[in-house]
């Protein structure tokens, strides 16, 4: 096994040149193989030579060609393995060096066996509630042990593969085409495994991920971005610019993958449409300011996409918008991207001297839109469930923690912005341990947050803001008082009538009674626009009657003819800019 001292003192500078040397050898040998195949094998096979001698010669030449191909493959395997060894050991050594330097800066002593010790605390330190040297020493000891273990595991796996390749060369089995192909596959897979092992574990906090990333050299970071973009693009704690580089590579790979599917399903077609829409947006906006950054892309679930207008790591004010019902991946490059941009423009207008970044975050699977019920599609009934919102809320909290970890300079003014079912997602996330970490929470078109009071969202209620159009059907269901007439109609006619019926048509009244609570209770708890919830309510336009357009206009680019007191997106911009006194208020329900 590798010891701490061996990893700390190892000179790894020769591994990369050795890999390059094998690359050169493989390349030159490959040219000889091509010459043999084109100048010898091709001519003999096409010479119309017949007879026993011809048959024997052809068979012998083909065997020789196959053996040369196999030798070339084995050389490529060796070069690939040496390169992966270089990257893996450098990563482990870098992590160790960072931890050792942190220990030194804290005045700690690290023994060769990894034990961390420190001087006895002074009297003042004993009485200092912030004295946390033992905890920090334990954390550093774990990091040191992890780096050494990581190097030891890599050493075992790499040496086993090198021994196998050496034995292949010694006994000649490496000249068999199938054996050589298997060796190259094993090396390639092992390289991926070794690199993945160097990453912080899946459960690591964004702060830990960021600390690991900052411990790498610029060259190492770039090599990881280019060689393993899939491991970086969705990791919270990786800086936005690095995630953007990785995700643009991931996006191109995903487009190719889905375009090559022989018989794509409807869901696969929808994902491909999403990837293409985001790619088109990035291409169309490539010269626009502030820069567009692809913070996340994935084929997970219905597809994941996170698009930023502006750099969240450098902006003073940052918002992360969570869309809701019926959102598709293509909307990230379309209407939801437009909404995030409209918020950015409104904030810049509110404070021309500050800097902003506005994102659309589709890191979960929203339910289908309720308007599909009118078309006979029953899938939107999933909206009555909170499973998707709960999973999304946990992911959103981690994403927000990542924004905190990667931000340069003083902490940003961080705003959680959510629409529709997205407000349920953010609301449930806010009620989890630690909450969203946002300075302000903005909820628009909300069917409830799962909370009865704004104070349950791990934030001062004075920094919870609600925009709710009076004609928004989603934000009015199913308050008992507001649906009483519709229930009566359902009892008489067997179906729910009126504007509420356009949303929940098909549900019998006795089933709906189970969901209805006291006045101002929505699907997912207290009506955020009610006085009982305890949030600020800002002014928005009432919207068209009996229309889902009223649910979709909260972040629409305001028209010149509209009254500023009713421009929802302008109020959102004021909140993002921290200009709270300029927010137009509206009475609670």
């Amino acid at each position: 096994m590798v010891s701490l001292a061996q990893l700390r003192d190892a000179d790894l500078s020769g591994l990369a040149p050795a890999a390059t040397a094998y690359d050169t050898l493989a390349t030159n040998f490959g040219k000889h193989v091509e010459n043999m195949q084109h100048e010898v094998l091709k001519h003999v096979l096409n010479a119309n030579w017949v007879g026993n001698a011809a048959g024997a010669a052809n068979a012998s030449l083909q065997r020789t060609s196959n053996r040369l191909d196999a030798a070339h493959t084995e050389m490529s395997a060796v070069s690939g393995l040496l390169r992966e060894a270089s990257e893996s050991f450098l990563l482990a050594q870098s992590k160790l060096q960072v931890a050792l330097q942190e220990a030194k800066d804290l005045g700690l002593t690290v023994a060769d066996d990894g034990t961390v010790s420190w001087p006895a605390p002074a009297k003042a330190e004993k009485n200092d509630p912030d004295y946390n040297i033992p905890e920090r020493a334990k954390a550093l000891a774990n990091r040191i042990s992890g780096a050494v273990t990581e190097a030891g595991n890599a050493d075992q796996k790499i040496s086993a593969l090198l021994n196998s390749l050496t034995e292949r060369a010694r006994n000649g089995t490496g000249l068999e085409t199938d054996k050589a192909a298997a060796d190259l596959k094993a090396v390639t897979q092992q390289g991926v495994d070794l690199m993945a092992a160097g990453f912080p574990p899946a459960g690591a906090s964004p702060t830990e991920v960021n600390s690991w990333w900052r411990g790498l050299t610029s060259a190492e970071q770039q090599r990881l971005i280019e060689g393993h973009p899939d491991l970086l693009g969705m990791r919270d704690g990786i800086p936005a610019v690095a995630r953007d580089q990785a995700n643009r590579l991931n996006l191109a790979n995903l487009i190719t993958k889905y375009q090559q599917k022989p018989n794509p399903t409807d869901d696969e077609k929808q994902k491909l449409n999403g990837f293409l829409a985001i790619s088109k947006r990035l291409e169309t906006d490539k010269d626009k300011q502030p820069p567009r950054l692809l913070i996340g892309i994935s084929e997970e679930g219905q597809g994941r996409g996170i698009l930023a207008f502006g750099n969240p790591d450098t902006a003073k004010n940052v918002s992360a918008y969570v869309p809701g019902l019926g959102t598709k991946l293509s909307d990230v490059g379309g209407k939801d991207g437009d909404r995030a941009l409209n918020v950015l423009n409104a904030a810049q207008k509110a404070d021309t001297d500050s800097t902003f970044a506005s994102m659309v975050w589709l890191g979960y699977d929203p339910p289908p839109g309720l308007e599909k019920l009118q078309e006979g599609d029953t899938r939107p009934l999933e909206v009555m469930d909170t499973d998707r919102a709960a999973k999304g809320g946990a992911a959103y909290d981690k994403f927000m923690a990542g924004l905190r970890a990667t931000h340069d300079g003083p902490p940003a003014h961080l705003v959680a912005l959510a629409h529709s079912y997205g407000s349920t997602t953010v609301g449930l996330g806010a009620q989890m341990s630690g909450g969203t970490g946002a300075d302000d929470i903005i909820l628009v078109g909300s069917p409830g947050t799962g909370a009865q009071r704004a104070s349950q969202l791990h934030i001062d209620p004075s920094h919870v803001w609600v925009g709710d159009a009076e004609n928004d059907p989603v934000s009015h269901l199913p308050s008992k008082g507001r649906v009483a007439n519709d229930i009566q109609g359902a009892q008489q006619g067997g179906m729910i009538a009126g504007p509420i019926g356009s949303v929940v048509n098909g549900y019998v009244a006795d089933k709906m009674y189970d969901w209805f609570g006291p006045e101002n209770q929505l699907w997912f708890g207290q009506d955020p626009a009610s006085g009982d919830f305890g949030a600020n309510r800002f002014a928005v336009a009432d919207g068209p009657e009996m229309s889902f357009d009223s649910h979709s206009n909260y972040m629409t680019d305001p028209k010149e003819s509209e009254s500023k007191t009713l421009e929802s997106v302008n109020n959102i911009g004021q909140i993002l800019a921290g200009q709270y006194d300029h927010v137009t208020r509206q009475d609670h329900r």
Side-chain angles (χ1 to χ4, degrees), residues 44-108:
V44 172
L45 293 177
N46 294 334
N48 296 320
W49 183 21
V50 296
N52 293 335
N58 289 341
S60 176
L61 286 172
Q62 188 62 62
R63 284 195 299 272
T64 299
S65 177
N66 291 341
R67 288 161 66 87
L68 291 173
D69 274 334
H72 178 247
T73 300
E74 290 286 283
M75 293 176 190
S76 298
V78 173
S79 67
L81 185 58
L82 289 174
R83 195 167 303 284
E84 292 296 346
S86 175
E87 293 180 354
S88 298
F89 292 140
L90 282 171
L91 284 173
Q93 188 180 64
S94 176
K95 290 169 70 173
L96 176 63
Q97 290 170 342
V98 170
L100 292 176
Q101 185 60 50
E102 289 184 22
K104 181 178 179 181
D105 293 343
L106 289 171
L108 309 180

Side-chain angles (χ1 to χ4, degrees), residues 76-248:
S76 298
V78 173
S79 67
L81 185 58
L82 289 174
R83 195 167 303 284
E84 292 296 346
S86 175
E87 293 180 354
S88 298
F89 292 140
L90 282 171
L91 284 173
Q93 188 180 64
S94 176
K95 290 169 70 173
L96 176 63
Q97 290 170 342
V98 170
L100 292 176
Q101 185 60 50
E102 289 184 22
K104 181 178 179 181
D105 293 343
L106 289 171
L108 309 180
T109 300
V110 180
D112 283 347
D113 64 356
T115 303
V116 180
S117 59
W118 58 94
K123 183 176 180 180
E125 291 175 326
K126 289 181 179 180
N127 298 323
D128 185 352
D130 294 326
Y131 179 75
N132 62 351
I133 290 296
E135 290 78 8
R136 298 184 71 176
K138 181 179 180 181
L140 281 169
N142 289 336
R143 287 167 55 191
I144 289 169
S145 174
V148 174
T149 299
E150 179 184 313
N153 290 338
D155 181 61
Q156 284 187 326
K157 294 174 181 178
I158 290 169
S159 63
L161 282 171
L162 283 172
N163 287 335
S164 176
L165 292 171
T166 300
E167 183 61 23
R168 290 277 198 217
R170 182 179 295 113
N171 62 28
T173 57
L175 296 180
E176 298 175 23
T177 304
D178 58 339
K179 300 285 195 310
D183 287 344
L184 182 59
K185 182 178 180 181
V187 167
T188 301
Q189 183 58 49
Q190 189 61 60
V192 173
D193 293 343
L194 286 172
M195 186 59 67
F199 280 64
S205 70
T207 300
E208 291 172 319
V209 172
N210 186 251
S211 177
W212 163 80
W213 178 258
R214 292 181 182 276
L216 305 177
T217 66
S218 297
E220 290 167 341
Q221 291 174 353
Q222 193 59 40
R223 187 160 63 245
L224 282 171
I225 291 170
E226 295 173 359
H228 300 276
D230 55 313
L231 299 179
L232 290 173
M234 292 294 287
R235 285 305 295 266
D236 298 316
I238 301 296
V241 171
R243 287 180 70 162
D244 175 66
Q245 291 181 54
N247 282 313
R248 287 174 188 259

Side-chain angles (χ1 to χ4, degrees), residues 299-352:
E299 61 183 331
E300 180 185 354
Q302 297 168 189
R304 304 283 187 262
I306 310 169
L307 181 62
F309 296 84
N311 188 341
D313 290 343
T314 58
K316 295 179 181 178
N317 304 276
V318 178
S319 70
Y321 152 54
V322 184
L325 299 174
T327 303
K328 301 184 292 294
L329 183 60
S330 58
D331 295 328
V332 173
K335 64 181 182 181
D336 285 307
D338 291 340
R339 289 169 177 169
L341 181 57
N342 292 338
V343 168
L344 176 80
N345 292 335
Q348 290 177 328
K349 183 178 179 182
D351 187 350
T352 57

